[in-house]
Amino acid sequence: MNAIIKEIEAAQLKETVADFNVGDTVKVYGKIKEGNRERIQIFEGTVIKRQGGSNRETFTVRKSSNGIGVEKTWPLHSPNVEKIEVVRRGKVRRAKLFYLRDRVGKKAKVKEMLR
């Protein structure tokens, strides 16, 4: 039974996935359905969490919109995520950046990693 589940999950994986980590600023190109039309909306923010594995892996992106913090969580291998574009790399020492929720303005920034 376990081999059957693994085979089904492997078929749902995307071939190419963007290389990004927690702390990176990314642009997520998400598909939005409005009635019978479909369009792509960009959500740009900092990755604060990445969890799970295989086809169940999800990531959470946080941004500040008009002074209000907005977080969205997407499945990494979802067909509704068109692509993920890394804008800048962040230098962090934690796996989850929940402390950014309490910070506003420049304090909510993550240092950029120089490569």
Side-chain angles (χ1 to χ4, degrees):
M1 189 67 167
N2 200 8
I4 297 169
I5 293 171
K6 284 185 179 181
E7 187 178 314
I8 293 169
E9 288 180 353
Q12 295 173 347
L13 295 176
K14 286 185 179 178
E15 290 86 31
T16 58
V17 178
D19 180 34
F20 67 95
N21 290 315
V22 174
D24 294 351
T25 302
V26 295
K27 284 184 182 177
V28 181
Y29 293 77
K31 290 182 185 175
I32 306 258
K33 276 194 172 183
E34 294 174 335
N36 57 356
R37 292 188 305 157
E38 195 174 89
R39 65 182 177 89
I40 294 175
Q41 183 172 342
I42 300 172
F43 189 90
E44 183 176 351
T46 306
V47 179
I48 64 166
K49 177 172 71 169
R50 202 168 164 177
Q51 70 180 26
S54 181
N55 68 331
R56 296 185 192 95
E57 187 170 358
T58 62
F59 64 100
T60 302
V61 179
R62 180 179 177 84
K63 76 172 183 177
S64 181
S65 177
N66 297 324
I68 298 170
V70 179
E71 290 183 10
K72 279 192 174 182
T73 303
W74 288 280
L76 187 62
H77 296 281
S78 170
N80 290 331
V81 176
E82 176 102 354
K83 68 176 180 176
I84 302 164
E85 187 178 296
V86 179
V87 177
R88 52 184 221 129
R89 301 272 178 194
K91 182 182 178 186
V92 293
R93 297 168 68 179
R94 294 168 189 261
K96 309 257 193 293
L97 304 180
F98 296 142
Y99 66 88
L100 290 179
R101 293 174 175 167
D102 301 329
R103 300 192 179 181
V104 181
K106 287 186 179 179
K107 290 180 184 178
K109 277 191 175 182
V110 174
K111 287 185 182 178
E112 188 168 2
M113 184 184 293
L114 302 174
R115 284 192 175 177

